[in-house]
Amino acid sequence: MDFQTYAILNGPVIILNMVTIAFYIFCMVRPLHGEKIKQPLKLLLWTLIGSTIIYIWSGVMMAFFYLSAVKIKITQSFYLLMVCSVFNSMTSSVWLNFFYCSQIVPAHSALFTWIKKNVKSIIYVFWITERIYTLLDFTSVFLHLTDLNVSLISNNFTMVYDMPEKDFWKGFKEKMFWIVFYTVKTHFVFCLCVMVMSSGSIVLYLCGHMRRMTANGQLVSSPRFRNQVRVTVTGLLQGALYVFSASWTFYSPFYEDGFRNIGQTMINSIVINLYMTATLFNLGAGQAVFRQRAAHIWLRGAECFKAPQVQQTDQGA
């Protein structure tokens, strides 16, 4: 893939994402009617927004350095930052779905009762852990790509098994890279299980709840039930996006050819772009803080356009 095709495919979508992010930040800073967003929802939403900002910034910088014919390793570093940002976005969407599951589905076991009581602490622990190993992931792959000057290592550094200094450092980098690499893969599988269990639990509960309401002659159009259905639908869509992106990272040369072949790098970044864009709009449809503000702006705009027409009608009469 040439750079012109890459820019045509990604450019308009990136601009749309930037406008959407600016609107989301405004909604987070100035929510409608001054309502405060509770934790851990606020943390997860800011993580999703921040990950998308880092992704866009990294993509722009990657394209800039590529056009400037700078060393390929700088371009690869920004590509790596893009990959880490999409990983953060994917895991945050999983815990967002898990949080809504704990809020919607009633507890029927001691384990789930404990989870509902401690859901905030659970999400905080996983959030901190994921940020730590994301940093390790970035560091290990960066070292894997960069030719370090091993002569700067102290001569007092103790070698193991009398291994030469250069070979020891190279072996250490390789082991660190593959340990973190398989840790990320394992974590993806774990998050996939959490996503499936959360979405499945919500769907089973709402289906059963709908049948009970229908049997009792109750209406299934209450605002709370509609909100629960909306969260379920957006959660299922996000789960499908997660499966697609996780499958791509598993079966595509995301780390290897993606860092060595600029064409593969562009293809991977397009896939990331599609995932991040779909996640942004899915977030807007599922979160009341964004949806209500958008509806408010729409109504205010409609009133502004209707007012001149009313005045013209009065003058004509």
Side-chain angles (χ1 to χ4, degrees):
M1 177 182 293
D2 59 342
F3 185 80
Q4 184 177 2
T5 304
Y6 170 79
I8 292 174
L9 292 175
N10 270 343
V13 180
I14 289 177
I15 294 174
L16 179 62
N17 288 346
M18 292 173 64
V19 174
T20 305
I21 290 172
F23 172 71
Y24 287 175
I25 293 176
F26 172 71
C27 294
M28 294 286 290
V29 176
R30 297 289 300 274
L32 191 63
H33 307 308
E35 298 177 358
K36 293 185 178 180
I37 305 173
K38 297 181 180 180
Q39 297 288 6
L41 178 60
K42 188 175 183 179
L43 175 65
L44 295 174
L45 291 179
W46 274 120
T47 304
L48 286 166
I49 294 173
S51 299
T52 310
I53 293 174
I54 295 174
Y55 148 73
I56 293 176
W57 176 77
S58 303
V60 172
M61 296 303 294
M62 184 183 73
F64 171 77
F65 283 112
Y66 174 74
L67 292 176
S68 302
V70 184
K71 291 182 179 180
I72 191 65
K73 291 188 182 301
I74 298 179
T75 306
Q76 292 172 338
S77 299
F78 282 109
Y79 171 71
L80 174 59
L81 198 58
M82 288 177 62
V83 173
C84 291
S85 66
V86 76
F87 286 174
N88 285 332
S89 177
M90 291 172 66
T91 54
S92 297
S93 66
V94 170
W95 297 116
L96 183 63
N97 207 32
F98 174 78
F99 171 72
Y100 277 116
C101 175
S102 68
Q103 301 300 303
I104 296 175
V105 180
H108 295 293
S109 64
L111 176 60
F112 197 56
T113 301
W114 180 86
I115 291 175
K116 288 175 71 70
K117 290 181 178 179
N118 300 277
V119 62
K120 184 184 296 187
S121 300
I122 293 172
I123 291 177
Y124 284 161
V125 168
F126 276 102
W127 189 89
I128 294 173
T129 304
E130 287 167 354
R131 300 295 81 75
I132 292 174
Y133 84 71
T134 298
L135 180 60
L136 291 176
D137 183 28
F138 180 89
T139 304
S140 64
V141 180
F142 182 80
L143 292 176
H144 187 71
L145 295 172
T146 306
D147 293 327
L148 297 178
N149 186 4
V150 295
S151 63
L152 296 177
I153 302 176
S154 173
N155 294 328
N156 296 327
F157 191 83
T158 305
M159 294 295 101
V160 180
Y161 304 116
D162 297 329
M163 182 183 291
E165 188 174 3
K166 184 176 180 180
D167 293 339
F168 175 82
W169 185 246
K170 181 179 180 180
F172 173 77
K173 289 193 298 181
E174 286 288 337
K175 290 179 180 178
M176 182 179 176
F177 171 79
W178 288 113
I179 289 173
V180 176
F181 177 80
Y182 285 113
T183 302
V184 171
K185 297 292 186 182
T186 304
H187 183 256
F188 270 151
V189 176
F190 171 73
C191 286
L192 179 61
C193 294
V194 174
M195 178 71 82
V196 171
M197 291 177 62
S198 301
S199 299
S201 299
I202 296 176
V203 170
L204 291 176
Y205 166 71
L206 289 182
C207 289
H209 185 58
M210 187 183 299
R211 286 195 299 267
R212 288 190 296 270
M213 292 178 67
T214 304
N216 295 330
Q218 299 176 352
L219 296 177
V220 294
S221 58
S222 63
R224 181 180 179 183
F225 185 78
R226 288 201 303 267
N227 290 334
Q228 291 177 344
V229 172
R230 185 183 296 108
V231 169
T232 303
V233 172
T234 54
L236 290 174
L237 291 176
Q238 192 62 43
L241 290 172
Y242 182 91
V243 172
F244 169 75
S245 299
S247 301
W248 180 268
T249 59
F250 267 102
Y251 296 108
S252 71
F254 216 66
Y255 274 107
E256 298 186 8
D257 289 348
F259 290 122
R260 299 171 184 172
N261 185 348
I262 191 64
Q264 183 63 44
T265 300
M266 291 180 181
I267 293 174
N268 288 338
S269 64
I270 290 176
V271 174
I272 294 175
N273 199 10
L274 291 175
Y275 170 82
M276 300 296 270
T277 303
T279 298
L280 276 180
F281 283 93
N282 196 43
L283 196 65
Q287 299 300 316
V289 64
F290 305 139
R291 192 176 60 255
Q292 291 175 359
R293 174 63 75 174
H296 177 72
I297 293 175
W298 177 266
L299 292 175
R300 292 290 297 273
E303 292 176 357
C304 292
F305 281 106
K306 287 181 180 178
Q309 295 179 0
V310 173
Q311 293 175 1
Q312 289 176 4
T313 304
D314 294 340
Q315 292 175 359

